[in-house]
Coordinates of all heavy atoms in Angstrom, one line a residue:
P153 N -7.7 1.5 12.5 CA -8.0 2.9 12.2 C -6.7 3.7 12.1 O -5.7 3.5 12.8 CB -8.8 3.4 13.4 CG -9.5 2.2 13.9 CD -8.5 1.1 13.7
Y154 N -6.7 4.7 11.2 CA -5.5 5.5 10.8 C -5.9 6.9 11.1 O -6.9 7.4 10.6 CB -5.2 5.2 9.4 CG -4.3 6.2 8.7 CD1 -3.0 6.4 9.1 CD2 -4.8 7.0 7.6 CE1 -2.2 7.4 8.4 CE2 -4.0 8.0 7.0 CZ -2.7 8.2 7.4 OH -2.0 9.1 6.7
T155 N -5.1 7.6 11.9 CA -5.3 9.0 12.2 C -4.3 9.9 11.6 O -3.1 9.6 11.7 CB -5.4 9.3 13.7 OG1 -6.4 8.4 14.3 CG2 -5.7 10.7 14.0
Y156 N -4.7 10.9 10.9 CA -3.7 11.9 10.3 C -4.3 13.2 10.5 O -5.5 13.5 10.1 CB -3.5 11.6 8.8 CG -2.5 12.5 8.2 CD1 -1.1 12.4 8.4 CD2 -2.9 13.6 7.4 CE1 -0.2 13.2 7.9 CE2 -2.0 14.5 6.9 CZ -0.6 14.3 7.2 OH 0.3 15.2 6.7
E157 N -3.6 14.1 11.1 CA -4.0 15.5 11.4 C -5.4 15.5 12.0 O -6.3 16.2 11.5 CB -3.9 16.4 10.1 CG -2.5 16.6 9.7 CD -2.4 17.6 8.6 OE1 -3.4 18.0 8.0 OE2 -1.2 18.0 8.3
D158 N -5.6 14.8 13.1 CA -6.8 14.8 13.9 C -8.1 14.2 13.2 O -9.2 14.4 13.7 CB -7.1 16.2 14.4 CG -6.1 16.8 15.3 OD1 -5.4 16.0 16.0 OD2 -5.8 18.0 15.3
K159 N -7.9 13.6 12.1 CA -9.0 12.9 11.4 C -8.6 11.4 11.4 O -7.6 11.0 10.9 CB -9.2 13.4 10.0 CG -10.4 12.8 9.3 CD -10.9 13.5 8.2 CE -12.1 12.7 7.7 NZ -12.9 13.4 6.7
T160 N -9.6 10.6 11.7 CA -9.4 9.1 11.7 C -10.1 8.5 10.6 O -11.3 8.8 10.3 CB -9.9 8.5 13.1 OG1 -9.1 9.1 14.2 CG2 -9.7 7.0 13.1
Y161 N -9.4 7.6 9.9 CA -10.0 6.9 8.7 C -10.0 5.4 9.0 O -9.1 4.9 9.6 CB -9.1 7.1 7.5 CG -8.9 8.6 7.1 CD1 -7.8 9.3 7.7 CD2 -9.7 9.2 6.2 CE1 -7.6 10.6 7.3 CE2 -9.5 10.5 5.8 CZ -8.5 11.2 6.4 OH -8.3 12.5 6.1
K162 N -11.1 4.8 8.6 CA -11.2 3.3 8.7 C -11.2 2.7 7.3 O -10.8 1.5 7.2 CB -12.6 2.9 9.4 CG -12.6 3.4 10.9 CD -13.9 3.0 11.5 CE -13.9 3.4 13.0 NZ -15.2 3.1 13.6
K163 N -11.5 3.5 6.4 CA -11.4 3.0 5.0 C -11.3 4.2 4.1 O -11.5 5.3 4.4 CB -12.6 2.2 4.6 CG -13.9 3.0 4.4 CD -15.1 2.2 4.0 CE -16.3 3.0 3.8 NZ -17.4 2.2 3.4
F164 N -10.8 3.9 2.8 CA -10.8 4.9 1.8 C -11.5 4.3 0.6 O -11.5 3.2 0.3 CB -9.3 5.2 1.3 CG -8.5 5.9 2.4 CD1 -7.7 5.2 3.3 CD2 -8.6 7.3 2.5 CE1 -7.0 5.9 4.2 CE2 -7.8 8.0 3.4 CZ -7.0 7.3 4.3
V165 N -12.2 5.3 -0.1 CA -12.9 4.9 -1.3 C -12.2 5.6 -2.5 O -12.2 6.9 -2.5 CB -14.4 5.2 -1.3 CG1 -15.1 4.9 -2.6 CG2 -15.1 4.5 -0.1
F166 N -11.7 4.9 -3.4 CA -10.9 5.4 -4.5 C -11.8 5.3 -5.8 O -12.0 4.2 -6.3 CB -9.6 4.7 -4.7 CG -8.7 4.8 -3.6 CD1 -8.7 3.9 -2.6 CD2 -7.8 5.9 -3.4 CE1 -7.9 4.0 -1.4 CE2 -6.9 6.0 -2.3 CZ -7.0 5.0 -1.3
D167 N -12.2 6.4 -6.3 CA -13.0 6.5 -7.5 C -12.1 6.9 -8.7 O -12.2 8.1 -9.1 CB -14.3 7.4 -7.3 CG -15.2 7.3 -8.5 OD1 -15.0 6.5 -9.4 OD2 -16.1 8.1 -8.6
F168 N -11.3 6.1 -9.2 CA -10.4 6.4 -10.2 C -11.1 6.8 -11.5 O -10.6 7.7 -12.3 CB -9.4 5.2 -10.5 CG -8.4 5.0 -9.4 CD1 -8.5 4.0 -8.5 CD2 -7.3 5.8 -9.3 CE1 -7.6 3.7 -7.5 CE2 -6.4 5.6 -8.3 CZ -6.5 4.6 -7.4
E169 N -12.2 6.2 -11.8 CA -13.0 6.5 -13.0 C -13.5 7.9 -13.1 O -13.8 8.4 -14.1 CB -14.1 5.5 -13.2 CG -13.7 4.1 -13.4 CD -12.9 3.8 -14.7 OE1 -13.1 4.6 -15.7 OE2 -12.1 2.9 -14.7
S170 N -13.6 8.6 -11.9 CA -14.1 10.0 -11.9 C -13.0 11.0 -12.3 O -13.3 12.2 -12.5 CB -14.7 10.3 -10.6 OG -13.7 10.4 -9.6
L171 N -11.7 10.6 -12.4 CA -10.7 11.5 -12.6 C -10.7 12.0 -14.0 O -11.2 11.3 -14.9 CB -9.3 10.8 -12.4 CG -9.1 10.4 -10.9 CD1 -7.8 9.6 -10.8 CD2 -9.1 11.5 -10.0
I172 N -10.2 13.2 -14.3 CA -10.2 13.9 -15.6 C -8.7 14.3 -15.9 O -7.9 14.3 -15.0 CB -11.2 15.0 -15.7 CG1 -10.8 16.1 -14.7 CG2 -12.6 14.5 -15.5 CD1 -11.6 17.4 -14.8
G173 N -8.5 14.7 -17.1 CA -7.2 15.1 -17.5 C -6.6 16.2 -16.6 O -5.4 16.3 -16.3
E174 N -7.5 17.1 -16.2 CA -7.0 18.2 -15.3 C -6.4 17.7 -14.0 O -5.4 18.3 -13.5 CB -8.2 19.2 -15.0 CG -7.8 20.4 -14.2 CD -9.0 21.3 -13.9 OE1 -10.1 20.9 -14.1 OE2 -8.7 22.4 -13.5
D175 N -6.9 16.6 -13.6 CA -6.3 16.0 -12.4 C -4.8 15.6 -12.6 O -4.0 15.8 -11.7 CB -7.1 14.8 -11.9 CG -8.5 15.2 -11.4 OD1 -8.6 16.2 -10.7 OD2 -9.5 14.5 -11.8
L176 N -4.5 15.1 -13.8 CA -3.1 14.7 -14.1 C -2.3 15.9 -14.2 O -1.1 15.9 -13.7 CB -3.1 13.9 -15.4 CG -3.9 12.6 -15.4 CD1 -3.7 11.9 -16.8 CD2 -3.4 11.6 -14.3
V177 N -2.8 17.0 -14.8 CA -2.0 18.2 -14.8 C -1.8 18.8 -13.4 O -0.7 19.2 -13.1 CB -2.7 19.2 -15.7 CG1 -2.1 20.6 -15.7 CG2 -2.8 18.7 -17.2
D178 N -2.8 18.7 -12.6 CA -2.6 19.2 -11.2 C -1.6 18.4 -10.5 O -0.8 19.0 -9.7 CB -4.0 19.1 -10.4 CG -5.0 20.1 -10.9 OD1 -4.7 21.0 -11.6 OD2 -6.2 19.9 -10.5
I179 N -1.5 17.1 -10.7 CA -0.5 16.3 -10.1 C 0.9 16.7 -10.5 O 1.8 16.9 -9.7 CB -0.7 14.8 -10.3 CG1 -2.0 14.4 -9.6 CG2 0.5 14.0 -9.8 CD1 -2.5 13.0 -10.1
E180 N 1.1 16.9 -11.8 CA 2.4 17.4 -12.3 C 2.7 18.7 -11.8 O 3.9 19.0 -11.4 CB 2.3 17.5 -13.9 CG 2.3 16.1 -14.5 CD 2.2 16.1 -16.0 OE1 2.0 17.2 -16.6 OE2 2.4 15.1 -16.7
T181 N 1.8 19.6 -11.7 CA 2.0 21.0 -11.1 C 2.5 20.9 -9.6 O 3.4 21.5 -9.2 CB 0.8 21.8 -11.2 OG1 0.4 22.0 -12.6 CG2 1.0 23.2 -10.6
E182 N 1.8 20.0 -8.9 CA 2.2 19.8 -7.5 C 3.6 19.2 -7.4 O 4.4 19.7 -6.5 CB 1.1 18.8 -6.8 CG 1.4 18.6 -5.3 CD 0.4 17.6 -4.7 OE1 -0.7 17.5 -5.2 OE2 0.8 17.0 -3.7
M183 N 3.9 18.3 -8.2 CA 5.2 17.7 -8.1 C 6.3 18.7 -8.5 O 7.3 18.8 -7.9 CB 5.3 16.4 -9.0 CG 4.5 15.3 -8.5 SD 4.5 13.8 -9.6 CE 6.2 13.4 -9.4
T184 N 6.0 19.5 -9.5 CA 7.0 20.5 -10.0 C 7.3 21.5 -8.9 O 8.4 21.9 -8.7 CB 6.5 21.2 -11.3 OG1 6.4 20.2 -12.3 CG2 7.5 22.2 -11.8
A185 N 6.2 21.9 -8.2 CA 6.3 22.8 -7.1 C 7.3 22.4 -6.0 O 7.9 23.2 -5.3 CB 5.0 23.2 -6.5
V186 N 7.4 21.1 -5.8 CA 8.3 20.5 -4.8 C 9.6 19.9 -5.4 O 10.4 19.2 -4.8 CB 7.6 19.5 -3.9 CG1 6.5 20.2 -3.1 CG2 7.1 18.3 -4.6
G187 N 9.8 20.3 -6.7 CA 11.1 19.8 -7.3 C 11.1 18.4 -7.8 O 12.2 17.8 -7.9
E188 N 9.9 17.8 -8.0 CA 9.9 16.4 -8.4 C 9.3 16.4 -9.8 O 8.5 17.2 -10.2 CB 9.0 15.6 -7.5 CG 9.5 15.4 -6.1 CD 8.5 14.6 -5.3 OE1 7.6 13.9 -5.8 OE2 8.6 14.6 -4.0
F189 N 9.8 15.3 -10.6 CA 9.3 15.1 -11.9 C 9.0 13.7 -12.2 O 9.8 12.8 -11.7 CB 10.4 15.6 -13.0 CG 10.7 17.1 -12.7 CD1 11.8 17.4 -11.9 CD2 10.0 18.1 -13.3 CE1 12.1 18.8 -11.7 CE2 10.3 19.4 -13.0 CZ 11.4 19.8 -12.2
A190 N 8.0 13.4 -13.0 CA 7.7 12.0 -13.3 C 7.8 11.8 -14.8 O 7.0 12.1 -15.6 CB 6.3 11.7 -12.8
L191 N 9.0 11.2 -15.2 CA 9.2 10.9 -16.6 C 8.3 9.8 -17.0 O 7.8 9.7 -18.2 CB 10.7 10.6 -16.8 CG 11.6 11.7 -16.6 CD1 13.1 11.2 -16.8 CD2 11.4 12.9 -17.4
S192 N 8.0 8.8 -16.1 CA 7.1 7.7 -16.4 C 6.1 7.7 -15.2 O 6.3 7.0 -14.2 CB 7.9 6.4 -16.5 OG 8.8 6.4 -17.5
P193 N 5.0 8.4 -15.4 CA 4.0 8.5 -14.3 C 3.6 7.1 -13.7 O 3.3 6.9 -12.5 CB 2.8 9.2 -14.9 CG 3.3 10.0 -16.0 CD 4.5 9.2 -16.5
E194 N 3.5 6.1 -14.6 CA 3.0 4.8 -14.2 C 4.0 4.0 -13.3 O 3.6 3.0 -12.6 CB 2.7 3.9 -15.4 CG 3.9 3.3 -16.2 CD 4.6 4.4 -17.1 OE1 4.2 5.5 -17.2 OE2 5.6 4.0 -17.7
I195 N 5.3 4.5 -13.2 CA 6.2 3.9 -12.2 C 6.7 4.9 -11.2 O 7.5 4.5 -10.3 CB 7.4 3.2 -13.0 CG1 8.2 4.2 -13.7 CG2 6.9 2.1 -13.8 CD1 9.5 3.7 -14.3
S196 N 6.2 6.1 -11.2 CA 6.6 7.1 -10.2 C 5.7 7.0 -9.0 O 4.5 7.3 -9.0 CB 6.4 8.5 -10.8 OG 6.5 9.5 -9.8
T197 N 6.3 6.5 -7.9 CA 5.6 6.4 -6.6 C 5.0 7.8 -6.2 O 3.8 7.8 -5.8 CB 6.5 5.9 -5.5 OG1 6.9 4.6 -5.9 CG2 5.7 5.8 -4.2
S198 N 5.7 8.9 -6.4 CA 5.2 10.2 -6.1 C 4.0 10.5 -6.9 O 3.0 11.1 -6.4 CB 6.3 11.2 -6.3 OG 7.3 11.1 -5.4
F199 N 4.0 10.2 -8.2 CA 2.8 10.5 -9.0 C 1.6 9.6 -8.6 O 0.5 10.0 -8.5 CB 3.2 10.3 -10.5 CG 2.1 10.7 -11.5 CD1 2.2 12.0 -12.0 CD2 1.0 9.9 -11.8 CE1 1.2 12.5 -12.9 CE2 0.1 10.4 -12.7 CZ 0.1 11.7 -13.2
L200 N 1.9 8.3 -8.4 CA 0.8 7.4 -8.1 C 0.1 7.6 -6.8 O -1.1 7.5 -6.7 CB 1.4 5.9 -8.1 CG 1.9 5.5 -9.5 CD1 2.6 4.1 -9.4 CD2 0.7 5.3 -10.5
Y201 N 0.9 8.0 -5.8 CA 0.1 8.3 -4.5 C -0.7 9.5 -4.6 O -1.7 9.6 -4.0 CB 1.1 8.2 -3.3 CG 1.8 9.5 -3.0 CD1 1.2 10.6 -2.3 CD2 3.2 9.6 -3.2 CE1 1.9 11.7 -2.0 CE2 3.9 10.7 -2.9 CZ 3.3 11.8 -2.3 OH 3.9 12.9 -1.9
R202 N -0.2 10.5 -5.4 CA -1.0 11.7 -5.6 C -2.3 11.4 -6.4 O -3.3 12.0 -6.2 CB -0.1 12.8 -6.3 CG 0.9 13.4 -5.3 CD 1.8 14.4 -6.1 NE 2.6 15.2 -5.1 CZ 3.8 14.8 -4.8 NH1 4.4 13.8 -5.3 NH2 4.5 15.6 -3.9
L203 N -2.1 10.5 -7.4 CA -3.3 10.1 -8.2 C -4.3 9.5 -7.3 O -5.5 9.7 -7.4 CB -2.8 9.1 -9.3 CG -3.9 8.6 -10.3 CD1 -4.3 9.8 -11.2 CD2 -3.4 7.5 -11.1
A204 N -3.9 8.6 -6.4 CA -4.8 7.9 -5.5 C -5.5 8.9 -4.6 O -6.6 8.8 -4.3 CB -4.0 6.8 -4.7
A205 N -4.7 9.9 -4.1 CA -5.3 10.9 -3.2 C -6.4 11.7 -4.0 O -7.5 11.9 -3.4 CB -4.2 11.9 -2.8
K206 N -6.2 12.0 -5.3 CA -7.2 12.6 -6.0 C -8.5 11.7 -6.1 O -9.6 12.2 -6.0 CB -6.7 13.0 -7.4 CG -5.7 14.1 -7.5 CD -6.3 15.3 -8.0 CE -5.2 16.4 -8.1 NZ -5.7 17.7 -7.7
A207 N -8.2 10.5 -6.4 CA -9.3 9.5 -6.6 C -10.1 9.3 -5.3 O -11.3 9.0 -5.3 CB -8.8 8.2 -7.1
A208 N -9.5 9.5 -4.1 CA -10.1 9.3 -2.8 C -10.6 10.7 -2.3 O -11.2 10.8 -1.2 CB -9.2 8.7 -1.8
N209 N -10.3 11.8 -3.0 CA -10.7 13.1 -2.6 C -10.2 13.5 -1.2 O -10.9 14.0 -0.4 CB -12.2 13.2 -2.6 CG -12.7 14.7 -2.7 OD1 -11.9 15.5 -3.2 ND2 -13.9 15.0 -2.2
V210 N -8.9 13.1 -1.0 CA -8.2 13.5 0.2 C -6.9 14.2 -0.2 O -6.4 14.1 -1.3 CB -7.9 12.3 1.1 CG1 -9.2 11.7 1.6 CG2 -7.0 11.3 0.5
G211 N -6.2 14.8 0.7 CA -4.9 15.5 0.5 C -3.9 14.4 0.2 O -3.9 13.3 0.8
S212 N -2.9 14.7 -0.6 CA -1.9 13.7 -0.9 C -1.1 13.3 0.3 O -0.6 12.1 0.5 CB -0.9 14.2 -2.0 OG -0.4 15.4 -1.7

Side-chain angles (χ1 to χ4, degrees):
Y154 160 69
T155 302
Y156 183 77
E157 292 187 349
D158 299 327
K159 182 161 181 170
T160 300
Y161 302 88
K162 293 181 181 179
K163 72 177 181 178
F164 290 95
V165 177
F166 299 90
D167 186 8
F168 289 104
E169 294 296 335
S170 71
L171 297 175
I172 61 174
E174 184 177 13
D175 293 317
L176 299 180
V177 173
D178 289 347
I179 292 167
E180 288 180 348
T181 301
E182 181 181 338
M183 290 179 68
T184 300
V186 295
E188 295 180 15
F189 303 94
L191 297 177
S192 298
E194 74 283 359
I195 61 170
S196 167
T197 298
S198 291
F199 190 94
L200 293 170
Y201 84 78
R202 287 177 170 94
L203 182 71
K206 290 252 184 221
N209 201 26
V210 297
S212 57

